[in-house]
Amino acid sequence: MYARAGDAAAARVLFDGMQPDPHVVSVTAMLTCYAKMGLLDDARSLFDGLPSKDLICWNAMMDGYTQHGRPSEALRLFRRMLRSGVEPDEVSVVLALSAVAQLGTAESGRWLHSFVTNSSSRRVRLNARVGTALIDMYYKCGSLEDAVAVFGDLGAGDRDIVAWNAMVNGYAMHGHSREALAAFGQLRAQGLWPTDITFIGVLNACSHSGLVDEGRELFRSMAEEYGIEPKVEHYGCMVDLLGRAGRVEEAFELVQSMTRTKPDAVMWASLLAACRLHKNMELGQRIADHLVANGLANSGTYVLLSNMYAAAGNWREVGRVRAMMRASGIQKEPGCSAVEVGRRVVEFVAGDRSHPRAAEIYAKLEEVNGMARARGHVPRTELVLHDLDDDDTAAKEQALAVHSEKLALAFGLISTPPGTAIKIVKNLRACADCHAVLKLVSEVTGRKIVFRDRNRFHHFVDGSCTCGDYW
């Protein structure tokens, strides 16, 4: 009871009174309390102290790791559970698949898929719950084709609205907007009723491809036809859709029209990014002033505003914004790119030279940049938003050349056989210069490059990207 109420201290007092030999059920209850509250080290201490662990105890510990952003530990625990002889159930498998989805390691996901397919256990089978977790894992790991295949393998009775939602969101994240809208039509034709999650998927799909009219109609239909009150996430999708399409003032009016829910930081950042993209400095300044005045500004707000001024060459205002950041104690989130090689994930930041193969990486990077120049690529030095001398082109080109995604690409090229697809994940939005270089490299090397940024997947094949240069 105390654990469910979130009172860890009271729960622990009772638990300590059961010493020296508490029952495994009591330990699991205490462990679950710690895991739920994010006190994972305390939970793990209890877990490791148990001489005999049942399945529920293993699942509770894995759940704590997956819920609080420690997927590597969750996956290691799953493998350790198998070695210990405890037979997993579908909850264990779904938790492990969730961990893989967070890590983005498709090879680990395929191993789990094989485990499900070949398992003789009655506890684990490909049903709606496991199938949906597989679909979610595959599309988040960059393999939409595998997600579609799993969906096709599900029986008609297992294709519930949750499975359809995973498929719609998978299509949307990979830029297959028409397929997402077609899936919406199919689920309706089969008599399924869409949920708020369904509409997040289809509205995101519209945003990624600039389908303004379709997005407006879907947003209208939510309340009028399906009785679903739009949430902040749905408004956010619409603001993103309108902002990317250049309808910045309309997007701002939509934000101002919100009465039942307040716009969140993501929505404001999306609107501010649209102001930057379409060079609407006046509205961008108004939005930034509003956020700062109301204590809503975060690092993204300041960075976007700073970038707007830098792009316009207004270094005085850039200095003012950066001074405000320092005064507020806010630091810019550093860009980080990770590349998957087998079941290993290697991370890089801009200018990173910490890897043991740094000399090889930078040699390949020079080759990549030379490859791009030979194909007519001109570095987008206007994207270098440091206060560098306008005439110092070489310094700006060097700053672009060592972006984290280019380092990850170079490492992928030297670490995998020719023709192998390369998968890169970045924590921030794709850099336009890097996007152009990745297209050229895919053409020259004949490799498929799958790149996931903060918003979506980009698939580079033969010199083109599935986003159509709209992101």
Side-chain angles (χ1 to χ4, degrees):
M1 181 272 291
Y2 281 126
R4 291 189 181 191
D7 192 342
R12 186 67 198 229
V13 168
L14 284 176
F15 178 77
D16 288 342
M18 303 175 74
Q19 302 298 337
D21 189 25
H23 193 277
V24 65
V25 174
S26 306
V27 177
T28 304
M30 191 68 237
L31 187 157
T32 302
C33 176
Y34 281 141
K36 178 182 176 182
M37 298 179 68
L39 303 171
L40 299 180
D41 293 338
D42 292 321
R44 187 58 186 263
S45 178
L46 283 176
F47 178 85
D48 288 340
L50 263 178
S52 177
K53 306 171 181 66
D54 64 7
L55 177 63
I56 297 172
C57 190
W58 285 95
N59 285 348
M61 194 67 241
M62 281 195 292
D63 188 38
Y65 282 137
T66 56
Q67 292 297 323
H68 294 281
R70 289 165 68 171
S72 295
E73 287 147 292
L75 204 53
R76 281 198 292 269
L77 209 61
F78 180 80
R79 292 193 175 104
R80 182 178 156 193
M81 179 176 71
L82 293 180
R83 291 195 299 270
S84 74
V86 175
E87 184 179 323
D89 62 359
E90 71 176 43
V91 173
S92 318
V93 172
V94 168
L95 288 169
L97 286 168
S98 174
V100 172
Q102 291 180 44
L103 288 168
T105 51
E107 287 306 311
S108 295
R110 290 191 178 93
W111 169 73
L112 279 165
H113 190 178
S114 176
F115 175 83
V116 171
T117 304
N118 299 317
S119 176
S120 59
S121 172
R122 297 178 62 185
R123 288 179 171 180
V124 179
R125 66 180 185 86
L126 185 61
N127 55 16
R129 188 177 188 184
V130 174
T132 301
L134 278 166
I135 293 166
D136 183 78
M137 178 275 296
Y138 273 130
Y139 86 72
K140 287 179 178 175
C141 288
S143 185
L144 183 63
E145 299 86 352
D146 286 318
V148 173
V150 171
F151 187 75
D153 289 341
L154 288 176
D158 287 327
R159 292 182 190 171
D160 58 12
I161 190 59
V162 182
W164 277 101
N165 284 349
M167 205 63 255
V168 168
N169 278 280
Y171 280 130
M173 185 176 280
H174 286 265
H176 294 263
S177 301
R178 291 297 177 185
E179 288 85 346
L181 296 179
F184 180 81
Q186 290 167 24
L187 73 88
R188 290 295 298 119
Q190 293 184 19
L192 293 173
W193 198 254
T195 67
D196 59 333
I197 303 298
T198 318
F199 280 100
I200 290 174
V202 289
L203 290 174
N204 262 326
C206 293
S207 174
H208 290 326
S209 295
L211 304 176
V212 176
D213 292 338
E214 291 86 342
R216 282 200 191 107
E217 177 58 25
L218 284 163
F219 188 72
R220 179 204 61 78
S221 71
M222 284 184 64
E224 294 184 14
E225 295 181 25
Y226 298 101
I228 300 173
E229 188 67 33
K231 297 180 180 178
V232 67
E233 294 88 354
H234 303 102
Y235 279 101
C237 290
M238 284 303 297
V239 168
D240 193 54
L241 168 61
L242 295 170
R244 288 178 192 272
R247 304 171 189 266
V248 184
E249 295 290 348
E250 184 180 345
F252 185 55
E253 289 172 8
L254 181 63
V255 172
Q256 290 183 309
S257 73
M258 295 171 63
T259 54
R260 297 192 179 186
T261 183
K262 291 183 178 180
D264 62 5
V266 175
M267 191 183 304
W268 284 117
S270 176
L271 192 53
L272 202 54
C275 290
R276 178 198 169 193
L277 178 65
H278 298 286
K279 297 180 172 56
N280 191 331
M281 297 289 291
E282 180 183 352
L283 181 57
Q285 181 68 68
R286 284 167 56 195
I287 293 168
D289 288 344
H290 169 79
L291 296 179
V292 172
N294 290 277
L296 301 173
N298 57 21
S299 63
T301 307
Y302 287 107
V303 169
L304 280 168
L305 187 59
S306 173
N307 289 353
M308 285 173 64
Y309 285 128
N314 190 341
W315 299 110
R316 180 177 178 180
E317 286 300 308
V318 170
R320 183 180 68 84
V321 172
R322 290 179 180 173
M324 290 168 63
M325 284 184 71
R326 288 192 294 271
S328 303
I330 295 174
Q331 294 184 337
K332 178 182 177 182
E333 181 182 1
C336 177
S337 295
V339 59
E340 182 181 349
V341 177
R343 291 185 186 175
R344 285 191 308 127
V345 175
V346 182
E347 295 184 344
F348 295 92
V349 295
D352 200 335
R353 290 184 178 271
S354 62
H355 196 276
R357 300 180 67 185
E360 294 176 74
I361 293 168
Y362 274 82
K364 178 58 72 172
L365 183 62
E366 181 57 36
E367 183 183 325
V368 165
N369 288 322
M371 192 187 298
R373 284 192 295 270
R375 290 272 170 163
H377 175 67
V378 178
R380 302 276 303 275
T381 55
E382 74 277 9
L383 299 173
V384 181
L385 301 176
H386 304 295
D387 193 359
L388 297 173
D389 191 312
D390 284 341
D391 296 327
D392 197 352
T393 304
K396 291 184 176 182
E397 289 186 4
Q398 179 59 28
L400 284 173
V402 295
H403 274 192
S404 63
E405 50 265 64
K406 289 176 183 169
L407 291 170
L409 172 65
F411 181 73
L413 289 170
I414 66 173
S415 304
T416 56
T420 307
I422 296 174
K423 193 181 72 177
I424 300 168
V425 177
K426 186 178 181 182
N427 63 332
L428 303 178
R429 184 179 181 274
C431 159
D433 187 78
C434 292
H435 190 275
V437 169
L438 289 173
K439 284 200 301 183
L440 291 169
V441 172
S442 73
E443 181 181 16
V444 174
T445 64
R447 294 207 193 204
K448 179 180 181 179
I449 302 170
V450 180
F451 179 78
R452 178 182 175 178
D453 69 5
R454 175 171 277 177
N455 299 322
R456 60 172 294 164
F457 276 96
H458 302 258
H459 295 250
F460 300 94
V461 181
D462 296 330
S464 63
C465 180
T466 50
C467 74
D469 297 336
Y470 186 94
W471 84 94

